[in-house]
Amino acid sequence: MKRNPFTPWPPSDTDLNWLAALLDGEGSFFKGKKNGVARIECQMTDEDIIAKAARLMGVGYGKRKPIAGRKTVYRLALAGPRAEIVMRELARLMGTRRQRQIRDSLKE
């Protein structure tokens, strides 16, 4: 897992809007099945994009060993109270479907 320098939360409006756009298209918001903890996940083959998103959320990121003939996939995950804070900040910037996922993730 690669570590990133932490960006204080919340980031600038420009970075927050960038993160919202990325996660609206490529992210997942849900409660963990085993522990019911709010989670944000995102994966893609562009390491620079995952690295920036991870830095903005203050998490590291990892990679999966590529399947023969395919690109490496990079992944980040954030869970627990920090994920809830990020979700609450991003919700207003998201589309309807992601807003619903966030709402469901934050339900007690």
Side-chain angles (χ1 to χ4, degrees):
M1 178 187 301
K2 296 197 177 189
R3 297 280 177 200
N4 283 305
F6 176 67
T7 298
W9 191 261
S12 70
D13 287 345
T14 300
D15 283 340
L16 191 63
N17 287 322
W18 180 89
L19 184 61
L22 172 69
L23 294 177
D24 201 16
E26 299 294 330
S28 297
F29 302 87
F30 59 95
K31 273 191 178 187
K33 289 182 181 180
K34 291 182 181 178
N35 58 13
V37 173
R39 289 185 64 86
I40 301 170
E41 292 184 3
C42 184
Q43 62 181 16
M44 60 180 19
T45 60
D46 299 313
E47 184 177 12
D48 61 324
I49 301 298
I50 288 293
K52 180 176 179 178
R55 179 180 53 80
L56 292 174
M57 291 192 289
V59 297
Y61 67 95
K63 66 180 179 179
R64 274 200 236 154
K65 190 174 182 180
I67 298 170
R70 299 202 177 203
K71 293 180 179 180
T72 301
V73 174
Y74 299 92
R75 179 179 175 277
L76 67 81
L78 176 63
R82 288 201 42 206
E84 292 176 10
I85 291 167
V86 172
M87 286 182 192
R88 285 189 180 97
E89 191 71 32
L90 293 176
R92 64 186 169 81
L93 302 170
M94 299 302 224
T96 305
R97 187 167 69 105
R98 296 293 188 214
Q99 285 179 353
R100 186 173 40 255
Q101 288 178 346
I102 289 171
R103 239 185 346 265
D104 291 346
S105 299
L106 296 175
K107 283 183 183 173
E108 295 295 323

